[in-house]
Amino acid sequence: MTENIKKVAVFTSGGDSPGMNAAIRSVVRTCAYKNIECVAIYRGYQGMIDGDFKQMNARSVNNIINKGGTILKSARCEEFRTEKGRKKAYDQLKKEGIDAFVVIGGNGSFAGAVKFNREYDFPVMGIPGTIDNDILGTSFTIGFDTAINTVVDVIDKIRDTASSHNRLFFVEVMGRDVGHIALNAGVGAGAEEILIPEQNLGLERLLDSLKRSKKSGKSSSIVIVAEGDKIGKNVFELKEYVEEHLPIYDVRVSVLGHMQRGGNPTCFDRVLASRMGVRAVEALIEGKSNYMVGIRDNKLVLTPIEEAIKAHTEIDMELLRVSDIMTT
Amino acid sequence: MTENIKKVAVFTSGGDSPGMNAAIRSVVRTCAYKNIECVAIYRGYQGMIDGDFKQMNARSVNNIINKGGTILKSARCEEFRTEKGRKKAYDQLKKEGIDAFVVIGGNGSFAGAVKFNREYDFPVMGIPGTIDNDILGTSFTIGFDTAINTVVDVIDKIRDTASSHNRLFFVEVMGRDVGHIALNAGVGAGAEEILIPEQNLGLERLLDSLKRSKKSGKSSSIVIVAEGDKIGKNVFELKEYVEEHLPIYDVRVSVLGHMQRGGNPTCFDRVLASRMGVRAVEALIEGKSNYMVGIRDNKLVLTPIEEAIKAHTEIDMELLRVSDIMTT
Amino acid sequence: MTENIKKVAVFTSGGDSPGMNAAIRSVVRTCAYKNIECVAIYRGYQGMIDGDFKQMNARSVNNIINKGGTILKSARCEEFRTEKGRKKAYDQLKKEGIDAFVVIGGNGSFAGAVKFNREYDFPVMGIPGTIDNDILGTSFTIGFDTAINTVVDVIDKIRDTASSHNRLFFVEVMGRDVGHIALNAGVGAGAEEILIPEQNLGLERLLDSLKRSKKSGKSSSIVIVAEGDKIGKNVFELKEYVEEHLPIYDVRVSVLGHMQRGGNPTCFDRVLASRMGVRAVEALIEGKSNYMVGIRDNKLVLTPIEEAIKAHTEIDMELLRVSDIMTT
Amino acid sequence: MTENIKKVAVFTSGGDSPGMNAAIRSVVRTCAYKNIECVAIYRGYQGMIDGDFKQMNARSVNNIINKGGTILKSARCEEFRTEKGRKKAYDQLKKEGIDAFVVIGGNGSFAGAVKFNREYDFPVMGIPGTIDNDILGTSFTIGFDTAINTVVDVIDKIRDTASSHNRLFFVEVMGRDVGHIALNAGVGAGAEEILIPEQNLGLERLLDSLKRSKKSGKSSSIVIVAEGDKIGKNVFELKEYVEEHLPIYDVRVSVLGHMQRGGNPTCFDRVLASRMGVRAVEALIEGKSNYMVGIRDNKLVLTPIEEAIKAHTEIDMELLRVSDIMTT
């Protein structure tokens, strides 16, 4: 236990995700509980550079646990990628008397923290907040569970109208590099096919599968397509391709887009965020730095941030197999 | 009261809408209550031509009141537009001993019923089922209330992420000819601007409004755009235009699409559908034909179908004004 | 048009209802639009007596349209029932320079406003905010639509487990004096029976209906009971009675309680509240006083508050009949 | 891999939970995929005794993944507790040519399976379906995630009205023996106190905490109480106690009851159920018997059923601590 940490800053960075507010609340209240000062930084690294700070207490975070988005705003910040920008940020933190910070965000945000820590030996702690669930060192990131439920809710609605008209829908979901949302929401929504960045099943297989689905008497077909699907066609191109090669379907397209980032967080994300916030502050108090808080087998674990951002988490091959069997 | 109606057919036609199942259930149960036979026709007019019929009883419609889509499927049918097609349909109805039908659908479906009624003097009754709320003779169509709630829920989610990043969103909602969904959901979601087919506010006004909104300190802006907005640009073109002429915003686009047709119906739509189904069957029993059941001032009223399909309902000018004031 | 109204106060009073925030927002923004000052009063009449005021501008009501409850809090206030209390309230309003107020609430709150207006000739305007939908002069009160959807959502859930176990549920919903929630939500949820304060169907009929329902092959039965049901038994007593007289059912009870007052308002309630807020402020500006804003046949209308509070709205007999037919 | 398993039965037993249908679907489709026959048994062990069987194929389970409850019904069965009852059940299974069964349920249902397996050496496999999350050998049971989200949604609504009136609510949630729902939903909903069966904090501490909460300026307080809370008072008694000893609060009570068992399953529960169903059938094919499928660290694992039902899972002490810190 060090006596060095008397004032902790917290901020959100990069794309927002549901549950970020619950994480902010947890960091703020844990500081209050531990009699440490807490300062919020608005607009991520940009606000750090601009000195956009606000003193927080336990009451500052009332009634935010159930809100989507982030009350601290988020932003991408080019200036922080420069040495000069980081110097400004450091000076602002010092001026304010801040001893450490907790960054809530994804890979890009963590990379900035690592660099900053290296240059200024400044204590930093990461909390994984992103809907993509693509960060090594944790089974779940904050926001993923909410996002897959949002996608499943929408596809349940699309299924209503698809079944009523015997239609085929291509539904694009988020995931440029990883297919976790597509795979989980696809299995949850009972999708007929799931196209992800990690695997190229080929167009032939897609056509075969759609033919089989039609023949088996299904009243509708829904194909989930991750943004970065490896088949190399977006949903509009897929529509055209199928209309040309398999004219038995009335094909429609839906791009879910940014709604996937919003919405009230699920209980899972709120609890996860609450737990991670506590651990982040406690780890700083214990004198630890440069770690990310993760969860594994329902236990909180610390992973060196450098490790966490080395690669994306891999797709669950067993779940891919389940997905295949379910579309029998 | 006539003794002529002993067997009534019911079907859904055209685009599906939430609450159609509640209307089907109501027609079926009212027939059972009145000791009249009820036959369901699958896939609208196409199923009528194909003789795709099913005998229904009160239990056939258990547990469907809360389901989106239509258990009877829907389809557009070119063949019914021909004399020959309608002749086939008539023969099928006669063969089955059907004395009258209730059609649940929109303008196009009603037009078919009118023609059929004229040619064969066959008793028909219409129930307005469409999310567009564009049918004369009724303040509300079945599905409209659910659709505007779906849109508002999605925009609430988009608002979360828009506020977190100080973004401007163009959100496209359904409505090729009428702006009822856009206007109501726009007011409900607190949209900064609403572009509808009925009114061309001009691009200048849009830019002015967005400038004012930014200046007034709003953390995000959401512009609802009906598919058929009169400004003549779709959401992608609007994005480009604003990026060029007002580069103070980070602009995003979202096209809501078919999810607006699905989802569990709201209580309002379920009650409306239940009431209309009863009235439709009772009107047929009373010997009436060629009417549409509507609701006005919370009372059920009958309008000649010909009247109902003459034009679209007009936009509510008072609500347009409210929308303007709310974006102060 | 009078020049007298330069500063308007707004507050919520009595039981809260979803959409009150949308109404507050509308009053505040309409004032801003009309260049009138607007003051919020916290905790209803109690806050008026205590001078718990806050100056509002258009930005004060950002991001509240979609929130349940009331940001201005609500309270019942004994002191305002006394002459002395009302004198204090008047003095506070005068001190603050307030020329008129808009009260958002139900019958009790309106009665206070009427008395106050009579004693001090102070301009008042009412907006009906209550989930009970029991106020004369308006087809809908703010919050009713949200409440019936909340009830229907819960009963949909209860139906899942009821069907899985062939159970009978008695579900108590709000409504001491009026059965609007019970009747509408009951029809919307497909309830087998609906017990309301307006009508005593008798226990015999209930038993008969339950027997018939069982015999007809239904897998579950749900009976909606308004708090003030005329049959004179609460849900627990009904359970005992049925277990004794009709032991073919496994009977359960659920009391929905206060959750019916909360939740994000539906689009309908948000739009209704937005419209009523505009009309309330405009009516005050026009020199009108002592009216309640209502909606009839989708048009805003003004009713003298004295008229509005004379009696409860009557139950819709046609909907009662629909309810009967639907349980065939 | 044995050649013995050619026909597998599946059924649900005990209290229903959301996601059971997804598990049924998974078992049925995995059998289809593996070219094994699949038979559904209605009403659990009672249906087994009565021979209430139905042949299933991949299409029999269309459109059920998103439905709450169980399409196979569930029931408690006294007869199966007798030797004679189990003999009847065995004879029915043999007559139908069934080689193994998959039981979806909780502790009680598993105990029956263990006994049956011992007596007849009949291959059985368990899938944990219960909202209580109290079964050893798995981090999550099917239905738990949905239940905690249902509770959190309701408490979010109650919070709206509680904050509007500065009220204290005691909310009773399910959990006679274990506090998992109370603890997780309590943290997720930001409850001020959480009373569970595993720990008696004492009434003094509750009063102190409520006093502190009031003093700290919170506008409402919500206390979650598990049915079997160790403090020994139910929510109505707690209300009385607090009203007597701490008259600064306006206290209300809400008993959530059976709605906690229903509702559309979350994506998490659908995916979990899909995975477990596959593993259950595959384990039977591999010649395994008398196991329960569980999930640990996101991997499927098999635990001998005897182990699984030995005790309840323990409460997460770290989460209890988080709960404490969050109420600062």
Side-chain angles (χ1 to χ4, degrees), chain C residues 14-16 68-70 73-74 150 154 157-158 160-161 163-167 169 219 252 255 258-259 261-263, chain D residues 14-16 68-70 73-74 150 154 157-158 160-161 163-167 169 219 252 255 258-259 261-263:
Chain C
D16 62 313
T70 158
K73 314 279 178 185
S74 190
T150 298
V154 172
K157 288 189 210 295
I158 291 176
D160 285 338
T161 188
S163 311
S164 300
H165 290 277
N166 294 318
R167 276 176 182 153
F169 268 87
S219 63
R252 300 295 159 105
V255 176
H258 279 77
M259 79 182 75
R261 290 200 179 284
Chain D
D16 62 312
T70 160
K73 313 280 178 183
S74 190
T150 298
V154 172
K157 286 189 211 298
I158 291 176
D160 284 339
T161 188
S163 310
S164 300
H165 289 90
N166 295 317
R167 276 176 182 153
F169 269 87
S219 62
R252 301 296 160 105
V255 176
H258 278 77
M259 78 184 74
R261 290 198 180 284

Side-chain angles (χ1 to χ4, degrees), chain A residues 14-16 68-70 73-74 150 154 157-158 160-161 163-167 169 219 252 255 258-259 261-263, chain B residues 14-16 68-70 73-74 150 154 157-158 160-161 163-167 169 219 252 255 258-259 261-263:
Chain A
D16 62 313
T70 159
K73 313 279 178 183
S74 190
T150 298
V154 172
K157 286 189 212 297
I158 291 176
D160 285 338
T161 188
S163 311
S164 301
H165 288 88
N166 295 318
R167 276 176 181 152
F169 268 87
S219 63
R252 301 295 160 105
V255 177
H258 279 78
M259 79 183 73
R261 291 198 178 286
Chain B
D16 61 313
T70 159
K73 313 279 178 184
S74 189
T150 298
V154 172
K157 287 190 211 296
I158 291 177
D160 285 338
T161 187
S163 311
S164 301
H165 290 276
N166 294 318
R167 276 176 182 152
F169 269 87
S219 62
R252 301 295 160 106
V255 177
H258 278 77
M259 80 183 73
R261 290 200 180 283

Side-chain angles (χ1 to χ4, degrees), chain B residues 31-293:
Chain B
C31 287
Y33 184 87
K34 301 281 183 184
N35 288 312
I36 291 173
E37 279 188 85
C38 187
V39 170
I41 304 177
Y42 285 85
R43 294 174 300 116
Y45 291 113
Q46 190 59 56
M48 194 185 287
I49 290 170
D50 301 343
D52 195 356
F53 299 154
K54 191 188 161 192
Q55 196 75 23
M56 305 294 274
N57 64 46
R59 293 290 70 73
S60 315
V61 290
N62 277 359
N63 297 319
I64 67 166
I65 193 174
N66 60 337
K67 303 288 186 293
T70 159
I71 60 162
L72 299 184
K73 313 279 178 184
S74 189
R76 315 213 178 252
C77 173
E78 286 307 311
E79 201 178 350
F80 195 78
R81 290 167 188 258
T82 67
E83 254 181 61
K84 209 171 142 192
R86 290 193 295 274
K87 177 68 171 64
K88 271 197 216 169
Y90 180 74
D91 291 344
Q92 293 281 14
L93 292 173
K94 283 290 104 180
K95 206 172 84 184
E96 186 74 17
I98 293 167
D99 302 315
F101 70 66
V102 178
V103 50
I104 306 165
N107 278 325
S109 314
F110 288 172
V114 166
K115 195 165 256 179
F116 190 75
N117 170 267
R118 242 182 251 151
E119 290 175 358
Y120 295 101
D121 193 26
F122 193 88
V124 307
M125 197 57 59
I127 292 178
T130 161
I131 62 169
D132 291 327
N133 205 31
D134 60 346
I135 298 183
L136 283 180
T138 190
S139 300
F140 298 101
T141 56
I142 298 168
F144 174 64
D145 186 63
T146 305
I148 56 176
N149 276 295
T150 298
V151 172
V152 159
D153 282 353
V154 172
I155 299 179
D156 282 355
K157 287 190 211 296
I158 291 177
R159 179 78 73 185
D160 285 338
T161 187
S163 311
S164 301
H165 290 276
N166 294 318
R167 276 176 182 152
L168 164 63
F169 269 87
F170 287 103
V171 180
E172 185 189 290
V173 302
M174 284 192 167
R176 260 181 241 285
D177 304 309
V178 290
H180 299 302
I181 291 177
L183 180 56
N184 279 271
V187 170
E192 273 67 28
E193 277 292 333
I194 302 167
L195 307 183
I196 54 175
E198 289 87 348
Q199 217 188 30
N200 189 346
L201 300 170
L203 285 162
E204 277 314 305
R205 187 196 128 118
L206 178 63
L207 291 185
D208 282 352
S209 158
L210 292 174
K211 265 184 235 162
R212 220 174 34 240
S213 174
K214 187 81 172 186
K215 217 169 132 189
S216 81
K218 287 199 181 176
S219 62
S220 63
S221 284
I222 289 179
V223 179
I224 310 288
V225 185
E227 282 168 311
D229 78 288
K230 201 152 197 177
I231 218 162
K233 289 187 183 294
N234 71 27
V235 282
F236 298 99
E237 294 160 350
L238 284 167
K239 177 183 192 299
E240 271 183 46
Y241 185 86
V242 167
E243 283 176 335
E244 194 181 329
H245 292 80
L246 196 69
I248 55 175
Y249 273 106
D250 181 14
V251 192
R252 301 295 160 106
V253 157
S254 189
V255 177
L256 299 198
H258 278 77
M259 80 183 73
Q260 294 166 82
R261 290 200 180 283
N264 298 352
T266 58
C267 185
F268 187 96
D269 276 330
R270 299 183 194 187
V271 170
L272 181 64
S274 300
R275 293 171 72 179
M276 287 180 163
V278 170
R279 189 69 195 98
V281 173
E282 293 190 336
L284 284 171
I285 293 176
E286 292 162 11
K288 295 198 172 69
S289 172
N290 223 17
Y291 285 97
M292 182 195 77
V293 182

